[in-house]
Structures are given as C-alpha cells and as structure tokens.
Amino acid sequence: MSADAHDAAAGAAQHAPTAGEYINHHLRHFQNISEKQAIVDWNYINYDSVFWSVTLGLLAVFVLWRAARAATSGVPGRFQAAVELLVELVDTQAKGIIHNAASRRAVAPAALTVFVWIFFMNAMDLLPVDLLPRLWEGYYAAAGHDPHHAYMRVVPTADLSITLGLSISVLLICLYYNIKIKGLFGWIKELFSAPFHAHGIAAVLLAPANFALNLIEFGAKTISHGMRLWGNMYAGELVFMLIALMGAAGLSSLGGIGLWIGHILAGSAWAIFHILIIALQAFIFMMLTLVYIGQAHEGH
C-alpha cells in the first residue's frame, strides 16, 4: 500500500463518517471519473451498474436454460415446478394481452426473461448494505488506492440509467411491432391521424397535434416505465441505509443496545416486506412491457 493510501486509511479509522457522509458514499457509483456524481449524466459510465446488471442477466439466462434442460415429463422437482409455474403465469398474461400468436412466440419468452432478470437485480437489495462495498474497499486499499474513493452500488435497478435503458429497449420493441403489424406507411399515417381522426382539411389541420400527442405518449410511457422501477428500488435502498445507520449509532454510543436491537428488528421486518416489493416491481415492469407491446398491435 502506498504512503498516501495508508494515511488516508488511518484517517478514516480515526474519524468515523457522519450519517450524511455515509449515505453520500453509498449513493456514489464506481464511474470512469468517480468524483463526479449525477442522477443522469451521459458523459459517465457507472461500471458497477453495468457489471452487476450483465452478471445477473447472464445468471437469469443460465437459470432458465438450466430449467429447460432439466425438464422432464414425469413428476417435476421443486425447481422445475417453480419455473413451470412462472412460465405458465407469463404465458397466460401474454395470451390475454397479445392476441397475435406469432408475436407471442417471441414476446412471451422476452417477458419471462425480463421478469427473472429484474427480480435478480432487485434482490441484490437484500444483501447487507455494507457487505460488497466493504469488500470492494478492502480490495481497493490492497491495490494501493484510497479506499475512500472505492464506490460500489450493487442494486442495478436503483440506477436510473439502467431502468431507462430497459424501458428504452421496450420502446424499440414497440416501434418494431408497430412497423411490422401496420407497415411503415400505415404506422406513419397513424402517427398523424390518431387520436383525433378527421377527414379533409380537418385532417391536415389536426395532423401536427396528432403527431405531437403520439410523441408525448411514447415519451411518457417510456420515462414512467423506467422511473417507476427506479423510484421504488432507490427508496428501498435508502431505507436499508437508514436502518444500517441505526445499528451503527447503537454500537457507537453507551447504552445504545436498544438502537442496535431496533436495527435488527427493523432490518428484518423491512427485508421481509421488501421481498414483496422486489417481486411486485419485476411483475409490474413485465406486465407493462406486455401491455405496451400489445398496444403496438392495435390501432388507435
């Protein structure tokens, strides 16, 4: 370890971070320029979000592939039964929303993958708040760097760039099916004729308003789709940090055993409740994906 890193580590040990410093540190991403932090900044790459989202995406694909390969026609095991139940749930929802059988053969597996992938990314919130960041800080210090700058966020869906990336991908799929089902010129015609259908000179006068409304609709659906998931997971992450601070306050003060016990109880209760949030947010994102793709198959 270099002398500067050793001095920084010694200083950090002597001065425990305040609550604000603790939360601010945990809310920073490991970026190509880590001193800069913004909710949305196109000049920076959040390497931690990219790493965890890709890793968990590969894990989701592996789990589904493993289930498909191990499937038998006899009495299914618990793993196969759970996956079959999930597949049936997604397929039932897809049939009720997308009536085009050819489209369903591609959309239903995509929706299933989205659900499992987002569930895995959301589930990272159940890990102890300081577990992976502390391991990362230890590696950073061992490599001779200042551990104060070892930022690491492990919940990809608490990063707006990830959730908006997912929602933009859904938008691109919707545009593809709009063109595939209605034809390029049919879709362009719909952009300028719906929702205020008119004829003659009125159709020409209303065309700009129709086009603007359709652009607003695409934009609003995409932004709300991504921000709904991000907002819920970001808020859940903050609650876990506040609960962790309660435990730290209990350990650092005399007679603070009550705070430490409260931290254990509150953390356990919130983690149990958060399991529902994790599954529900993955399900909502999947359902909205199906709804928006289904709307692409229908005319205004």
Side-chain angles (χ1 to χ4, degrees), residues 244-289:
L245 282 172
M246 183 191 301
L251 291 175
S252 62
S253 61
L254 294 176
I257 188 65
L259 281 176
W260 189 82
I261 294 175
H263 141 262
I264 296 295
L265 296 176
S268 300
W270 180 245
I272 293 171
F273 176 71
H274 207 58
I275 295 173
L276 175 62
I277 297 176
I278 287 170
L280 184 60
Q281 289 305 314
F283 179 76
I284 290 174
F285 195 96
M286 179 205 72
M287 285 298 299
L288 288 176
T289 298

Side-chain angles (χ1 to χ4, degrees), residues 101-232:
S103 296
R104 269 201 317 274
R105 283 196 290 270
V107 174
L112 175 65
T113 304
V114 164
F115 176 84
V116 177
W117 187 15
I118 293 179
F119 180 84
F120 283 173
M121 289 193 289
N122 291 351
M124 294 294 286
D125 220 359
L126 296 177
L127 293 175
V129 171
D130 292 307
L131 176 60
L132 293 178
R134 290 292 182 228
L135 293 175
W136 177 242
E137 287 179 14
Y139 168 78
Y140 222 62
H145 304 292
D146 183 357
H148 177 70
H149 297 293
Y151 305 117
M152 173 63 68
R153 293 184 64 181
V154 301
V155 186
T157 44
D159 181 358
L160 186 57
S161 61
I162 295 296
T163 59
L164 284 181
L166 291 170
S167 63
I168 290 172
S169 299
V170 174
L171 171 64
L172 294 177
I173 295 174
C174 291
L175 296 180
Y176 166 77
Y177 277 108
N178 267 298
I179 296 173
K180 179 180 180 180
I181 300 299
K182 304 165 187 175
L184 177 60
F185 293 105
W187 178 57
I188 293 175
K189 178 182 177 181
E190 184 180 79
L191 287 177
F192 288 94
S193 61
F196 300 118
H197 296 281
H199 302 282
I201 189 63
V204 176
L205 295 175
L206 289 174
N210 285 329
F211 182 69
L213 286 173
N214 278 295
L215 289 184
I216 292 172
E217 179 184 357
F218 280 120
K221 289 193 298 187
T222 301
I223 293 173
S224 64
H225 197 191
M227 291 196 70
R228 178 182 292 105
L229 175 60
W230 167 76
N232 280 278

Side-chain angles (χ1 to χ4, degrees), residues 45-62 113 117-118 120-121 124 153-157 162 166:
I45 300 173
N46 296 337
Y47 292 130
D48 44 12
S49 295
V50 172
F51 172 79
W52 290 113
S53 60
V54 171
T55 301
L56 294 169
L58 293 175
L59 177 62
V61 172
F62 172 77
T113 304
W117 187 15
I118 293 179
F120 283 173
M121 289 193 289
M124 294 294 286
R153 293 184 64 181
V154 301
V155 186
T157 44
I162 295 296
L166 291 170

Side-chain angles (χ1 to χ4, degrees), residues 75-103:
V75 178
R78 294 180 181 179
F79 175 63
Q80 181 180 337
V83 174
E84 286 181 355
L85 183 64
L86 182 59
V87 169
E88 184 178 355
L89 170 66
V90 175
D91 187 60
T92 300
Q93 298 299 328
K95 286 180 179 178
I97 297 172
I98 301 173
H99 304 296
N100 187 308
S103 296

